[in-house]
């Protein structure tokens, strides 16, 4: 079926708007990563994006809002690869391991912009409390998926069952966030294989991974599940 002129115009307009937004976000990330949030200016972001600073201010109040929107985009993209990674199996423990592995890989690939975000945090060191809008929603959805995976692992006696799944996931996220924050801020981050060995190795002990479950991935001898 042929597209009428009104539909074609609307489609082209939407595509141009999307391309313009992508240019702005790419420019913002480049400037903020290179100069830091303090050194970045809306004028330089606009120049790099090929638009007037006044135009930029029509859509974004300041560079802090741009950084928050960048984090929104990254969290949404992380959620996409996270869902794909855990969707290939019904095994609870493997879903947990795959989710951590792909999250570490994504954060490693984008550690420069995450370094700016972590550097901007004040007060509580809890990453979740500093996320807003779409980023926080994506984070919450991934956490809920991990809770469901943890319950599967408990049901199948792969991990300890004396602690509720929700609490185990909170502990898991606390360790993961602390590790990623440290590697992003202090650097240089170890390679992905080493990151996974360290994080999953600690989790293997804390989760009480049952004998014979996840040994190849844990990087250390598993412990017998309690309960």
């Amino acid at each position: 079926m042929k597209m009428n002129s009104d539909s074609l115009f609307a489609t082209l307009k939407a595509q141009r708007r999307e391309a313009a937004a992508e240019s702005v976000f790419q420019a913002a990330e480049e400037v903020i990563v290179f100069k830091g949030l303090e050194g970045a200016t809306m004028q330089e972001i606009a120049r790099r994006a090929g638009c007037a600073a006044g135009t930029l201010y029509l859509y974004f109040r300041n560079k802090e809002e741009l950084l928050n929107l960048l984090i929104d985009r990254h969290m949404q993209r992380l959620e996409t690869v996270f869902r794909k990674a855990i969707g290939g199996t019904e095994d609870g423990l493997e879903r947990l391991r795959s989710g951590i592995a792909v999250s570490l890989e994504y954060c490693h690939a984008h550690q420069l912009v995450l370094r700016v975000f972590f550097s901007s945090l004040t007060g509580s060191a809890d990453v979740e409390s500093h996320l807003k809008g779409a980023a926080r929603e994506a984070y919450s959805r991934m956490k809920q998926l991990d809770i469901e995976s943890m319950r599967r692992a408990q049901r199948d006696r792969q991990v300890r069952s004396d602690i509720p799944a929700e609490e185990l996931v909170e502990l898991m996220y606390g360790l993961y966030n602390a590790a990623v924050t440290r590697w992003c801020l202090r650097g240089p981050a170890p390679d992905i294989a080493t990151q996974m060995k360290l994080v999953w190795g600690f989790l293997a002990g804390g989760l009480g991974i049952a004998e014979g479950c996840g040994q190849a991935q844990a990087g250390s001898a598993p412990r017998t599940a309690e309960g």
Side-chain angles (χ1 to χ4, degrees):
M1 183 174 65
K2 291 185 177 180
M3 185 179 295
N4 62 43
S5 58
D6 288 342
S7 297
L8 178 60
F9 178 76
T11 299
L12 292 174
K13 186 176 180 180
Q15 289 175 344
R16 285 197 298 271
R17 186 165 56 243
E18 185 176 334
E22 184 61 35
S23 295
V24 168
F25 284 123
Q26 183 175 343
E29 183 160 341
E30 290 172 356
V31 172
I32 289 173
V33 163
F34 182 69
K35 293 202 167 182
L37 190 59
E38 290 296 322
T41 66
M42 294 289 276
Q43 288 73 19
E44 185 168 358
I45 293 171
R47 279 197 301 273
R48 185 161 298 201
C51 67
T55 302
L56 203 58
Y57 277 112
L58 289 175
Y59 300 97
F60 310 102
R61 288 176 296 179
N62 48 45
K63 59 189 178 183
E64 288 78 12
E65 183 176 59
L66 261 174
L67 176 60
N68 286 332
L69 290 172
L70 280 173
I71 298 302
D72 281 353
R73 285 159 60 85
H74 278 297
M75 287 300 297
Q76 289 170 325
R77 289 173 177 177
L78 173 56
E79 182 185 6
T80 298
V81 297
F82 178 90
R83 286 180 178 275
K84 183 177 180 180
I86 70 172
T89 179
E90 295 298 315
D91 183 279
L93 188 60
E94 178 58 22
R95 285 166 65 92
L96 291 170
R97 191 203 67 81
S98 296
I100 290 173
V102 76
S103 297
L104 285 172
E105 186 175 348
Y106 188 92
C107 290
H108 187 74
H110 300 281
Q111 61 182 298
L112 294 180
V113 70
L114 291 177
R115 179 180 299 164
V116 176
F117 170 68
F118 291 136
S119 297
S120 71
L121 303 186
T122 57
S124 171
D126 176 31
V127 172
E128 185 175 6
S129 67
H130 291 279
L131 295 175
K132 302 174 183 177
R136 187 159 194 166
E137 291 171 5
Y139 186 95
S140 296
R141 287 191 295 267
M142 287 187 285
K143 180 182 281 188
Q144 186 57 46
L145 288 170
D146 274 332
I147 290 172
E148 293 169 8
S149 297
M150 188 70 75
R151 287 174 180 156
R152 293 188 192 191
Q154 288 180 322
R155 179 198 63 199
D156 295 337
R157 299 179 180 274
Q158 295 175 313
V159 300
R160 63 192 302 163
S161 58
D162 59 325
I163 297 176
E166 293 83 356
E167 291 186 28
L168 286 176
V169 170
E170 286 293 342
L171 292 170
M172 184 175 81
Y173 273 51
L175 172 62
Y176 171 86
N177 288 336
V180 171
T181 302
R182 179 182 177 85
W183 288 328
C184 283
L185 287 178
R186 300 190 181 183
D191 60 68
I192 292 297
T194 301
Q195 289 184 32
M196 187 61 187
K197 184 176 181 179
L198 289 169
V199 173
W200 190 252
F202 273 106
L203 288 175
L207 296 177
I209 293 178
E211 192 71 34
C213 294
Q215 291 189 47
Q217 298 89 354
S220 62
R223 296 170 58 184
T224 303
E226 299 178 35

